[in-house]
Each structure stands twice: as structure tokens, then as C-alpha cells.
Amino acid sequence: MNVFITGGAGYIGSHTCVELIQAGHQVSVFDNFCNSQPEALARVERITGQRPQLYQGDIRDADALTYALKDSQATAVIHFAGLKSVGESVQNPLAYYDNNVVGTLRLLQAMRACDVKALVFSSSATVYGDPHQLPIPEDHPLSTTNPYGQTKLVIEEMLRDVHRSETQWRFAILRYFNPVGAHASGLIGEDPQGTPNNLMPFVAQVAVGRREFLNVWGDDYATADGTGVRDYIHVVDLALGHLKALERLANHTECEAINLGTGVGYSVLDMVKAFELACGKTLPYQVAPRRAGDIAACYANADKAERLLGWKAERDLTAMCEDGWRWQRANPQGYGQI
Ligand code: NAD
Ligand code: WQD
């Protein structure tokens, strides 16, 4: 299959490029590098022996998209391109609506113009808001507490509307829980710009000496040890979920939302302990007040992915931490050291 990947140079995109190439697919990447570097694609080539065809451009640029879609002879699209910082979206909601919602609208228009009607979309467990049921099934009511999450909800609704009006479209809406870790080669991984917002990149930077200590945002939640519980999923398992979703879309004309998580929740302190084991160091932390907008616990009911895609996460917490540490140790400044 010729697969067109928006945001393919990013964290999840680069890992998905590797798995698709290794499964024998042709991969093209469309990225403006606003949160990634071309080096990630050079690393994909080092792992797979193939460099994805690169189209540098912005998904809001309809002409550039249409050209690239035609030129790549794509038959399906995986759409990762988007902004993803919750805090930034509260500060600058218009930038998020513009990039994520307008960008996806332009992508769908370009796909229709090129008669490419299969799309795998990166949604998020953030669309479940503060869940009232755990583990969370896909039919849990949708809500959100911030503009980033709102863009994911709006896009999901847009895809459902498009599918209702033109039923030949094929959509897989993948709701990721908390992606962590890196490719086992240590060549690609997460490379956040500035201070990481997410737990595991922060922990990894403490381990490598870039940060002094971790702030644990709250230890008075109604969880076993009082710290927040999440469903951490190895990024390679997540990438493989995209491969399975693409394979399913080849035979199904549908619009399905599917959780990609492990179904297991770990606390912040569980994650710190697991990373300490992986890196062989004690990681200093201090308990700080709760972070605004955080929820106590969030983990997936992952049955639908197994039923529809024949997929389930296989890499455990040890692999998540060991692979994440291998990447961080070998690339203490991320791709930036190059
Ligand atoms: P990332 O920032 O590493 O990757 C996104 C990529 O998209 C980057 O390469 C960036 O340069 C590119 N991009 C952004 N806006 C663009 C635009 N207008 N035109 C062209 N390229 C553009 O993020 P990621 O962690 O790989 O996330 C990928 C997707 O998954 C995002 O849509 C994100 O919202 C979603 N998601 C991520 C997480 C997570 O925790 N990482 C969780 C749930 C959902
Ligand atoms: C995990 C846990 C924190 C940092 C966010 C987005 C979500 C999705 C994934 C894209 C929580 C605690 C964190 C730190 C800490 N992204 N923590 N100290 O909040 O589950 O989800 O990223 O779609 O939309 O909201 O992930 O990694 O930020 O936090 O104690 O320095 O770690 O309080 O309990 P979260 P996270």
C-alpha cells in the first residue's frame, strides 16, 4: 500500500513509518517540522534501509497537500500532524483550532479531490474528559476540559459527519492513551522541545541529568498510592495498531473509534520506580500540588481493538522504560545534538 503520513517525522509518526516500511508498505511523509526534525527520517532510514519520501509543507496549504497526495500515489492517509500541548492550547486556542481543525478540514478536502478516502486519525483519550467509568469503553460519553481536547472532539465529529454523508469513506479514529518509550534500536524516540509537560520524558531527563528532580503533581487522589493513574502504552505497540487499522480499512467501509491502550493503569510512583530499575539510578522527586485540569485515573477498555483489529499491546512496563532509557541515554539532547 502507498501510505501518506502527515506528521510522520514526529514521535508517533516516525515509529509508525518504521513499522509500515518493515511490513512492506511504501511510505510518504508530509510534515512542516514545527515540532520535529528531518533527522528523525534519516534515523528511520538507518533502521529500515528506506527513507520515506518527504514532502515538506503545512497541512493548511491545500495546494501543497493536493500535489503531494497525487505525486505519492497514496491510497490511504495516517494523520498525525497537529499541535498537542494542553497548556499551550489554553493560552492560544486559535492556534490549535487553526492547526488541528482547519488543517484536518484541508486534508479531507484534498483527499476528496484526489479520491483518496481512507484515513486513520490520531485522537486521544482526552475526549473522555474526567471518566465516570473505568476501564473506559469507546461508548463512554465524550467531553473535554481544554481547547486541545476540543479540537480532537470537533475533528471526530467532522469525520462522523463526512462518513454519514458519503459512506464510501473509511475512517479509523484511534484514541491513544499515554504513549511512552522508544524504538528498541535507541535511534528514534520522543524529543520534546523545552521543558517536557508529560511525565515520562520529564523522568527520562531527570535520569540523564538535564533536570534536577521530578514534581509529582498531587499525592491525594483516590488511587492506591494517591498519585495519578494512567494507561501507558509502548509507542511501538501503538505504531503496530496503526498498521492493523490500515489493513482493516482495506476491507471495511466504516467510521469506527477504537481505544489504543493496554487496559492497565499505573501510578506516577509506579512509573518512577520502573524507570529507576531501567536506568539503575535513584530519581529524586518531590510532591507538589495537583496540576490544574488533571484527573485521578484513566485507562482503557481495549477489547474493541482486539475484536476489530486483532491487536493488543504486547510490550510491558519494563520494555517501555528500558527502551525509553536507551533512547534518552544515547541522545541526551534528543535529535538536537546533531
Ligand atoms: P509530535 O509533535 O511529535 O508529531 C506531530 C508532527 O506533526 C510533528 O512532526 C510536527 O512537525 C507535525 N505538524 C504539526 N502541525 C503541522 C502542520 N500544520 N503541517 C504539517 N505538519 C505538522 O506529536 P506526537 O506525539 O507524535 O502526536 C501525533 C498525534 O497524536 C497528534 O495529533 C497528537 O495530538 C496525537 N496524540 C498524541 C498523544 C501523545 O501523548 N503523544 C496522545 C494522544 C494523541
Ligand atoms: C501523566 C501523570 C500527571 C508530569 C496528557 C494530555 C493528553 C494526552 C497525553 C495528547 C499525571 C503526572 C506529569 C510531571 C507528574 N496527550 N505528572 N509530573 O496528563 O495523562 O495526558 O498527555 O492527546 O491529552 O492531557 O499525561 O504525562 O502529562 O501526566 O506528576 O512533571 O503524571 O499529574 O498524573 P496526561 P502526562
Side-chain angles (χ1 to χ4, degrees), residues 3-8 13 16-17 20 27-31 77-78 80:
V3 188
F4 187 84
I5 306 189
T6 75
T16 303
C17 286
L20 290 185
V27 168
S28 307
V29 167
F30 188 93
D31 204 303
V77 175
I78 305 182
F80 292 109

Side-chain angles (χ1 to χ4, degrees), residues 84 86 124 126 148 177-178 197-199 202 214-217 228 230 232 268 291 294:
K84 64 167 181 176
V86 171
S124 165
T126 194
Y148 164 72
F177 281 68
N178 290 56
N197 296 312
N198 292 122
L199 176 66
F202 202 104
L214 169 76
N215 279 306
V216 174
W217 304 128
R230 298 291 184 273
Y232 296 93
V268 175
R291 184 171 65 177
D294 267 356

Side-chain angles (χ1 to χ4, degrees), residues 222-266:
T223 60
D225 65 18
T227 67
V229 166
R230 298 291 184 273
D231 186 337
Y232 296 93
I233 174 169
H234 196 297
V235 66
V236 172
D237 279 329
L238 194 65
L240 289 167
H242 291 72
L243 188 62
K244 293 287 191 184
L246 268 184
E247 286 167 0
R248 179 173 169 93
L249 288 189
N251 310 312
H252 293 81
T253 311
E254 64 187 13
C255 178
E256 290 288 345
I258 303 171
N259 287 340
L260 293 186
T262 64
V264 180
Y266 289 107

Side-chain angles (χ1 to χ4, degrees), residues 4-333:
F4 187 84
I5 306 189
T6 75
Y11 173 44
I12 307 169
S14 55
H15 289 81
T16 303
C17 286
V18 166
E19 298 308 319
L20 290 185
I21 292 170
Q22 289 182 336
H25 298 289
Q26 290 293 320
V27 168
S28 307
V29 167
F30 188 93
D31 204 303
N32 66 358
F33 300 112
C34 70
N35 198 37
S36 59
Q37 300 196 39
E39 175 63 17
L41 299 177
R43 302 283 182 94
V44 169
E45 184 179 12
R46 274 176 69 186
I47 297 169
T48 64
Q50 273 182 56
R51 192 160 189 147
Q53 168 75 39
L54 171 65
Y55 299 94
Q56 185 165 349
D58 192 298
I59 52 167
R60 289 161 294 184
D61 180 345
D63 292 341
L65 263 180
T66 307
Y67 168 79
L69 267 174
K70 282 199 178 128
D71 191 65
S72 66
Q73 300 182 319
T75 53
V77 175
I78 305 182
H79 178 32
F80 292 109
L83 302 178
K84 64 167 181 176
S85 160
V86 171
E88 198 178 72
S89 79
V90 175
Q91 300 302 317
N92 194 353
L94 291 181
Y96 273 66
Y97 280 95
D98 188 38
N99 201 82
N100 295 2
V101 178
V102 174
T104 304
L105 174 63
R106 295 283 170 263
L107 175 64
L108 290 168
Q109 289 166 331
M111 287 174 68
R112 191 165 55 178
C114 300
D115 201 28
V116 180
K117 293 195 167 168
L119 177 83
V120 178
F121 172 62
S122 301
S123 189
S124 165
T126 194
V127 300
Y128 297 121
D130 191 351
H132 59 68
Q133 185 184 353
L134 289 168
I136 310 172
E138 285 82 356
D139 60 3
H140 185 283
L142 304 181
S143 74
T144 182
T145 52
N146 60 75
Y148 164 72
Q150 193 63 37
T151 67
K152 293 293 180 192
L153 264 184
V154 170
I155 295 165
E156 283 203 8
E157 292 303 347
M158 182 158 66
L159 300 182
R160 285 188 273 271
D161 283 339
V162 170
H163 188 260
R164 271 190 286 269
S165 74
E166 291 176 50
T167 50
Q168 70 273 34
W169 282 89
R170 299 149 191 264
F171 293 125
I173 296 171
L174 302 183
R175 295 181 180 149
Y176 315 153
F177 281 68
N178 290 56
V180 296
H183 190 264
S185 63
L187 285 169
I188 55 173
E190 188 169 11
D191 182 19
Q193 305 301 301
T195 307
N197 296 312
N198 292 122
L199 176 66
M200 292 315 276
F202 202 104
V203 167
Q205 290 192 7
V206 173
V208 84
R210 275 175 75 180
R211 314 268 162 204
E212 220 178 310
F213 60 88
L214 169 76
N215 279 306
V216 174
W217 304 128
D219 67 351
D220 56 353
Y221 287 104
T223 60
D225 65 18
T227 67
V229 166
R230 298 291 184 273
D231 186 337
Y232 296 93
I233 174 169
H234 196 297
V235 66
V236 172
D237 279 329
L238 194 65
L240 289 167
H242 291 72
L243 188 62
K244 293 287 191 184
L246 268 184
E247 286 167 0
R248 179 173 169 93
L249 288 189
N251 310 312
H252 293 81
T253 311
E254 64 187 13
C255 178
E256 290 288 345
I258 303 171
N259 287 340
L260 293 186
T262 64
V264 180
Y266 289 107
S267 74
V268 175
L269 297 182
D270 290 335
M271 298 308 286
V272 171
K273 278 182 215 128
F275 209 90
E276 285 182 335
L277 276 177
C279 71
K281 302 177 186 188
T282 301
L283 302 176
Y285 69 83
Q286 67 178 24
V287 176
R290 290 180 179 195
R291 184 171 65 177
D294 267 356
I295 55 178
C298 172
Y299 48 94
N301 177 328
D303 294 349
K304 188 172 175 184
E306 193 166 1
R307 204 171 61 248
L308 263 55
L309 306 179
W311 172 94
K312 68 176 193 228
E314 283 173 355
R315 289 159 182 78
D316 64 8
L317 193 53
T318 304
M320 297 179 211
C321 293
E322 286 181 349
D323 292 340
W325 174 234
R326 191 177 303 105
W327 153 255
Q328 186 68 69
R329 194 182 38 188
N331 307 270
Q333 304 298 325

